[in-house]
Amino acid sequence: MYTQALDLPDAQHAAVARPAPSDSALQAHFDDKISQEQKIEPRDWMPEHYRKTLVRQISQHAHSEIVGMLPEGNWISRAPSLKRKAILIAKVQDEGGHGLYLYSAAETLGTSRDQMLDALHTGRAKYSSIFNYPTLTWADVGVIGWLVDGAAIMNQIPLCRCSYGPYARAMVRICKEESFHQRQGFESLMVMMQGTSEQQAMVQDAVNRWWWKCLAMFGPPDSDSPNSAQSQRWGIKRISNDDLRQSFVDATVPQAKVLGVSLPDPDLKWNEERQHHDYGAIDWDEFWATVNGNGPCNQERLATRVKAWEDGAWVREAALAHARKNAARSLKEAA
Amino acid sequence: MSIPPQTPEALKPLSEWPLWEVFVRSKQGLEHKHCGSLHASDADHALRLARDVYTRRQEGVSIWVVPSSAITASEPNDKAEFFDPSGDKIYRHPTFYAIPDDVGHM
C-alpha cells in the first residue's frame, strides 16, 4: 500500500465547516473521546470537518492503492521468471484488496463508492504522486517494493492507531500484508546485485531515479503543512511528515549498504549530535508540479484507469441484470 | 446528527452493486467475526469476492455475507440509556460475593 502524507485539499473540500452552537454538547463529547484516545465509530456524532478530512484522506489513500496497481501491472507479462510473475501478481492483487478495504472504510462516512470513483476519474481527487513516474526497467519493480512500499509502511503504521475505527482496522490489515511487499522487493534486488554488472547497474539506476521521489512521499515539510496540526489534534495523523521522513532515511541507509547500492545524495551523512542522518534538499517544485497533474505519467495513469472502468461497465451491468433475473425467477417459483 | 453508515438505497445510482457485510470464521471452533464489507451483485457473487478480498492468506474456513441493509443497529446516541439497565446490577458479577479463602477456588 501506499500513501504519501497527502493532506492536500481537493477542490470540493475547500470549505471548513464550523460546528453550529446547538452541536456544542456533542462537540464536547467528541473532544472528550478524542482526548481519552477512544475510537470514533461510523454512527457516532463527529464534526463535519473531521468527517470531510477523513473522507478526503481515506479516499485519496484508496485511489493510491488502485492507481498503484498500474506501474507494476505493466511488468506482470514481462517478469523474468514464473516465480517473479506469481509474486508480482499476488502483490498487485493485494493492492487492489487494500483499495477495497479503504473504499469500504470511507463509505462508512456516508460517501458512496461511485462518488469516490467519479472524483478520481474526473481528476478532482488526488492520489499518491509517486505513481506518476514511469517504471522503466525490471529493477524498478524491486525498488518500488523496497523503497516505495518501505516509505508507505513508515507512513501507515501510525495510521493503525488513527482515531477513526474503520480506518484504523483497515490499516491493521493492510500493514500485515505490506511487509511481504517490501521484503519481496528487497530480495529481488539482492538477486540482481549478485548478478552481472549490467544487472547491478540497473538496480543502481532505479535507486537513483526513485530515491528523492520516495522522500517526497512523506509530504511537504512540517513548516509547509497547514492541515497537519488539526489532523494531529484529532488523532488522525500521529507523527509529522518530517519525523516520518527522518525515520525512513535512518532505516534505509543500512539496508542500502547491505544491498551494495549508494543513495544519490552527496549531503547524506550520519550526524552524531542529532543521532540521525542529515540529508539534502528535496525538490518541492517538482513534487507540486506532479501533484498538480504535470508529472511524466499523470495523464497516462488516469486514462488507463478510466479505460479499465469503462471497459468493465458491461460486466458490472450484466452481473446486476443476472442477479435481478435470478431474484425474479426465485420469487416466481415461490409463488 | 449521525449519518447512517450507508447511503440510503434510494439515493444510490442503479449501477452500483449492493453493499454486503462480511463475517469470517478464522478457524474451526471460533465464531464468525465481522471483517469488512464489499459490493457484489448477489449473495453468491458476494461470497466469491469475500473469499478473494478477505481470505487471500488462509484467514478463514467459513464466510457469511449479509446485505448491509438487513442489519439493524442500536443508536450510538442512546448508548447511555440503552445499556444503562445493566450498569447497576453488580450482583451479576462473581466478584460481588465474598467467599472465605479456605474454600479455595470457586
Side-chain angles (χ1 to χ4, degrees):
Chain A
M1 131 74 212
Y2 305 118
T3 170
Q4 66 192 7
L6 252 185
D7 205 8
L8 307 169
D10 293 339
Q12 76 269 35
H13 289 136
V16 174
R18 297 266 167 242
S22 58
D23 286 346
S24 60
L26 293 166
Q27 176 77 49
H29 185 59
F30 172 86
D31 293 342
D32 223 36
K33 274 206 224 168
I34 294 284
S35 65
Q36 289 173 36
E37 293 282 324
Q38 285 185 26
K39 296 287 184 215
I40 306 298
E41 292 296 340
R43 301 177 72 224
D44 294 342
W45 185 90
M46 61 188 85
E48 220 27 55
H49 190 198
Y50 177 83
R51 184 187 299 278
K52 279 186 175 163
T53 301
L54 279 170
V55 167
R56 186 182 66 220
Q57 180 170 335
I58 302 172
S59 63
Q60 281 178 4
H61 195 157
H63 299 328
S64 302
E65 301 283 356
I66 299 300
V67 177
M69 297 166 81
L70 303 175
E72 291 180 295
N74 284 339
W75 281 94
I76 290 176
S77 60
R78 299 170 175 85
S81 68
L82 186 57
K83 173 182 142 185
R84 293 291 167 195
K85 181 186 273 203
I87 292 170
L88 188 55
I89 290 173
K91 179 180 189 298
V92 172
Q93 190 192 15
D94 272 358
E95 308 299 1
H98 295 177
L100 290 181
Y101 308 155
L102 289 162
Y103 281 129
S104 297
E107 284 173 86
T108 64
L109 292 157
T111 304
S112 79
R113 179 81 59 95
D114 278 353
Q115 284 172 321
M116 288 185 275
L117 290 179
D118 187 59
L120 172 66
H121 295 162
T122 55
R124 277 178 292 131
K126 307 277 189 208
Y127 56 85
S128 184
S129 58
I130 195 83
F131 303 116
N132 290 318
Y133 298 99
T135 40
L136 300 180
T137 69
W138 172 250
D140 288 42
V141 174
V143 168
I144 286 180
W146 173 38
L147 294 181
V148 176
D149 288 318
I153 291 171
M154 206 56 95
N155 246 331
Q156 288 169 76
I157 287 182
L159 288 173
C160 296
R161 292 183 291 123
C162 168
S163 61
Y164 187 58
Y167 192 25
R169 291 191 287 273
M171 289 318 304
V172 169
R173 187 176 283 276
I174 288 172
C175 284
K176 270 189 203 160
E177 298 180 352
E178 204 64 36
S179 149
F180 140 62
H181 298 181
Q182 190 182 19
R183 290 173 66 113
Q184 66 81 31
F186 190 78
E187 192 244 18
S188 139
L189 297 176
M190 296 256 291
V191 170
M192 291 183 79
M193 289 305 287
Q194 286 151 18
T196 64
S197 57
E198 284 89 347
Q199 286 173 312
Q200 292 166 2
M202 196 186 275
V203 173
Q204 184 63 58
D205 169 64
V207 170
N208 292 349
R209 280 182 289 109
W210 288 95
W211 172 249
W212 288 104
K213 276 108 185 145
C214 290
L215 292 193
M217 274 176 77
F218 293 94
D222 297 346
S223 54
D224 191 22
S225 188
N227 295 337
S228 283
Q230 178 61 275
S231 273
Q232 290 204 358
R233 274 197 296 280
W234 274 333
I236 296 174
K237 190 171 174 55
R238 297 287 183 172
I239 304 177
S240 82
N241 295 354
D242 285 333
D243 287 350
L244 287 168
R245 189 165 15 244
Q246 183 70 62
S247 304
F248 175 70
V249 172
D250 290 340
T252 309
V253 168
Q255 294 167 1
K257 203 166 281 172
V258 172
L259 199 55
V261 296
S262 63
L263 299 172
D265 178 359
D267 297 325
L268 183 66
K269 59 173 185 297
W270 177 249
N271 183 325
E272 188 60 34
E273 199 177 315
R274 290 200 308 126
Q275 290 291 301
H276 287 296
H277 291 85
D278 291 337
Y279 54 90
I282 295 168
D283 183 351
W284 291 110
D285 290 342
E286 195 215 333
F287 172 78
W288 287 113
T290 307
V291 166
N292 291 323
N294 301 314
C297 300
N298 293 57
Q299 289 179 12
E300 181 192 330
R301 297 286 183 247
L302 202 54
T304 309
R305 171 62 206 153
V306 169
K307 182 176 186 305
W309 179 250
E310 285 171 355
D311 289 352
W314 72 271
V315 180
R316 294 191 299 276
E317 285 159 20
L320 211 49
H322 178 73
R324 285 187 181 134
K325 209 178 210 175
N326 270 350
R329 191 177 299 144
S330 50
L331 264 182
K332 210 185 232 172
E333 277 166 14
Chain B
M1 292 232 316
S2 76
I3 288 187
Q6 287 88 41
T7 316
E9 216 54 44
L11 294 181
K12 271 188 194 163
L14 282 174
S15 62
E16 197 170 89
W17 290 340
L19 193 61
W20 301 76
E21 298 302 320
V22 180
F23 299 80
V24 171
R25 184 201 294 285
S26 57
K27 65 178 193 189
Q28 212 60 26
L30 294 181
E31 72 276 45
H32 286 77
K33 204 174 149 192
H34 183 245
C35 70
S37 51
L38 49 78
H39 290 271
S41 57
D42 62 19
D44 285 340
H45 188 200
L47 268 183
R48 279 171 182 277
L49 293 184
R51 180 200 60 188
D52 293 346
V53 175
Y54 291 107
T55 63
R56 288 197 299 282
R57 290 180 175 78
Q58 297 170 300
E59 291 98 333
V61 294
S62 163
I63 300 176
W64 291 347
V65 291
V66 180
S68 304
S69 57
I71 291 180
T72 307
S74 62
E75 266 302 319
N77 298 310
D78 299 344
K79 196 156 62 185
E81 304 87 67
F82 192 73
F83 295 102
D84 182 53
S86 61
D88 58 355
K89 297 179 179 60
I90 49 170
Y91 47 83
R92 287 182 167 164
H93 297 279
T95 46
F96 179 73
Y97 305 93
I99 304 285
D101 283 349
D102 42 0
V103 172
H105 180 71
M106 179 184 272

